[in-house]
Amino acid sequence: MTRSYVARGRLVTALAAGCLVAAGCSTLPDGGPVVSGGRAAATVEAQPFDYNPPGPRPGALPDDIVAGFLSAQQAVPVSTRVAEEYLTADAAATWRPDRRTIVYTSQQVVARGTDVVIRLRGASALDAAGRWRGAWSDDARGTLRLRVEREDSEWRIVDPPPALVIPRTHFESRYRALTLSFFDRTGSVLVPEPVYLPAGVQAATRLVAGLLEGPPPGSREVERSYLPTGTDLGVGVPVRGRGIAEVPLSAAMVDLRPADLARALAQLTATLGQLPEVRGVRVLVDGAPLALPGGEEVLPVTTGEEYDPSVDWAAPDLFGLVGRSIVRISEGAETRVAALPRSATDFFGRPRSLGVSLAGDRSAVVSGDGTRVWRLTSREGARIAPTSVAEGTDLLRPMWDRTGRLWLVDRGSSLSGTAAVRVLSDDGRVRLDSPQLDDGRLEAASVSRDGSRFVVLVSRPDGEVEARLFRVVRDDLGAPVRLAFARTLPAPNTLRNARAVGWWDPTTVAVMTRPSGFSTRVQLLPTDGATVATSGAPRLDLLFEEGQSMATSPGSPQSLLVTSADGVFDLGGDGRWAELVLPPELRATTFVG
């Protein structure tokens, strides 16, 4: 088996002919549902067949009416027309299924006279914008209670819930995992917020409506929108010929300053550009195209790529340590870009971890005993002496964010379990504290490329490991000021024996666990805490190697490597593993970030 870095946008092109060999791995899924990875939507051609549910049959009993009402909500394309036939005329006129979506694993309908109970198992909820809201229950037992009465001699539902109620199988096959794009506080990078929407002609309208609502509650000190507050959306967002999405907005758009308008348009193109049917965006104000610089009316979906949270300008190469030297592997060539002084390794031992800035021109190395960090700079035509920048007790792998700041995590002594997060820049350093970092042993940490999120693995006293997500609160100049705990990320399988964490894409965390002494499992955890997969979710093979470390590249190229005592293994786009043939002395392999 061979893999070309150039052709696939993945690893290290042909260090030698046939540079990849098949790895020992299973072709079976790794067990249990694997949650959503990338946010790419299924194509229109890939969508399942239409489903036109039947209306109520004459003489149907109350439990049959409610069961039919549930089935009718699975119409494809999305429509509530048939579902409304199961309601009284008054109920149909006031029913608001757009308020939220309830997704359940199984259901049971029990009629008791004119009262009908729907028992839902494994129910979760989405809000009106399609954001995941976690487990749902209107009461302690997860039930919906409906009342029926006779109308024109037939039983009809009087009080439908203000929600679309659908089974998990329908959600997994008919919904797309997408994102709403907002900006960080400095307006320099887009911050994606996951949403789940049904495939169909309404997807573009619902995406723009979600943008106009602004950032979700709890994240507004981290991100912002440049679409003016109070901007109204017209009837909808149709996709015209040649894939042009027409977005009718109110006149508030006209009053934006040019720089703010450019960012508002970048939000629209980044959000709508996820739909495979959309190739361009035209904004209308009072029915006329919005005047844009250069006289253009249609914006390609690539507009605003410089704000991409994957940070496409980041160096795509693989880095590692060979002895005291930092090595860069690019296009099959191996280059030594910087080196520690011999005295550093003689006194502190062989370096144990490496972090490289996104541009690839700066590095940070942790000493073998985990107590010291050196910063190294390598620029064309110049070598700058390494600088000792920090000391600690047990330092994890150093990390760099998009702003060029160096993140250091000292997990402290194994007895105290007290962790410290420090962020270093040319202007100084700041310590970020949180109670959620101090109630267990910190195993691993990773900051997202866009610098808006920070994730850690924490071992609890009972031996279980949790993945905890934080928002990074920054000031108006982009300097981090604190960590705001967001949530503990649920996992499809136990995270016990977790060894590493990284970013699969801007909204998905990858966690490397060792379920046994001879196998490694990578689990993908959405940052919104979703526990149900959509049709685009990848399934990853189990790797029959004892993984020791993991390296991830969430941008283009998207890559994930696991290193064991026997080699380095690359996770392919098909979810299978292949061994990379790399210099045998290469250690601490990593991508930038």
Side-chain angles (χ1 to χ4, degrees), residues 42 59 76 83 142 165 258 284 310 351 359 399 408 417 430 433-435 438 447:
V76 178
V165 184
L284 303 179
S310 296
M399 301 161 284
L408 302 176
V430 62
D433 295 311
S434 172
D438 294 335
V447 63

Side-chain angles (χ1 to χ4, degrees), residues 321 326 340 351 353-357 361-367 372-377 387 389 396-400 406-408 590:
L321 294 171
I326 298 171
L340 287 171
S353 62
L354 166 69
V356 181
S357 68
D361 60 348
R362 290 187 289 175
S363 308
V365 176
V366 174
S367 62
R372 189 174 295 258
V373 179
W374 288 275
R375 184 168 56 200
L376 302 90
T377 302
T387 304
V389 294
L396 298 179
R397 188 189 78 86
M399 301 161 284
W400 299 80
L406 174 61
W407 288 63
L408 302 176
T590 187

Side-chain angles (χ1 to χ4, degrees), residues 214-518:
S219 67
R220 297 185 180 184
E221 60 181 348
V222 177
E223 57 196 55
R224 59 171 297 185
S225 176
Y226 282 86
L227 291 159
T229 302
T231 301
D232 294 323
L233 177 64
V235 176
V237 180
V239 180
R240 306 293 189 189
R242 296 185 300 156
I244 306 303
E246 286 192 345
V247 184
L249 298 177
S250 57
M253 292 290 292
V254 177
D255 298 327
L256 287 175
R257 296 179 304 172
D260 291 346
L261 176 61
R263 288 175 171 83
L265 296 173
Q267 287 182 245
L268 288 169
T269 55
T271 300
L272 290 171
Q274 300 166 95
L275 302 178
E277 61 270 28
V278 175
R279 301 179 63 185
V281 176
R282 179 188 290 117
V283 177
L284 303 179
V285 175
D286 293 332
L290 180 66
L292 301 174
E296 299 294 332
E297 292 186 1
V298 177
L299 294 167
V301 294
T302 54
T303 301
E305 279 186 330
E306 65 269 27
Y307 302 119
D308 193 322
S310 296
V311 190
D312 284 350
W313 53 261
D317 307 320
L318 183 65
F319 292 79
L321 294 171
V322 175
R324 297 181 293 109
S325 299
I326 298 171
V327 173
R328 180 174 189 162
I329 298 177
S330 176
E331 303 274 339
E334 177 183 337
T335 305
R336 302 197 178 204
V337 296
L340 287 171
R342 186 176 300 276
S343 59
T345 55
D346 289 346
F347 188 77
F348 295 100
R350 190 173 72 165
R352 72 182 192 184
S353 62
L354 166 69
V356 181
S357 68
L358 269 61
D361 60 348
R362 290 187 289 175
S363 308
V365 176
V366 174
S367 62
D369 62 0
T371 64
R372 189 174 295 258
V373 179
W374 288 275
R375 184 168 56 200
L376 302 90
T377 302
S378 176
R379 294 191 176 93
E380 187 175 353
R383 291 287 179 88
I384 301 174
T387 304
S388 176
V389 294
E391 297 181 2
T393 303
D394 190 6
L395 289 155
L396 298 179
R397 188 189 78 86
M399 301 161 284
W400 299 80
D401 68 16
R402 178 190 55 83
T403 68
R405 290 177 167 89
L406 174 61
W407 288 63
L408 302 176
V409 178
D410 186 357
R411 58 184 176 184
S413 69
S414 58
L415 296 178
S416 69
T418 301
V421 179
R422 286 174 283 176
V423 183
L424 282 60
S425 69
D426 294 337
D427 299 325
R429 64 185 63 198
V430 62
R431 174 168 171 155
L432 307 178
D433 295 311
S434 172
Q436 286 79 18
L437 295 174
D438 294 335
D439 60 348
R441 177 174 171 79
L442 210 61
E443 300 294 342
S446 186
V447 63
S448 63
R449 277 195 178 178
D450 62 15
S452 68
R453 296 173 173 93
F454 180 67
V455 63
V456 298
L457 300 180
V458 178
S459 290
R460 301 191 321 227
D462 62 4
E464 287 296 329
V465 176
E466 292 182 346
R468 299 177 182 175
L469 184 74
F470 298 81
R471 297 277 191 166
V472 181
V473 181
R474 297 174 182 259
D475 63 21
D476 292 339
L477 298 178
V481 294
R482 67 184 180 90
L483 297 174
F485 178 68
R487 63 185 57 88
T488 296
L489 302 179
N493 298 285
T494 178
L495 296 182
R496 188 183 291 266
N497 297 320
R499 292 292 189 271
V501 65
W503 291 86
W504 172 257
D505 64 29
T507 59
T508 312
V509 170
V511 179
M512 187 193 80
T513 64
R514 290 220 303 260
S516 69
F518 55 85

Side-chain angles (χ1 to χ4, degrees), residues 318 397 500 502-503 549-553 559-563 589-591:
L318 183 65
R397 188 189 78 86
W503 291 86
S549 64
M550 180 180 69
T552 61
S553 174
S559 301
L560 187 149
L561 304 181
V562 166
T563 299
T589 52
T590 187
F591 294 102

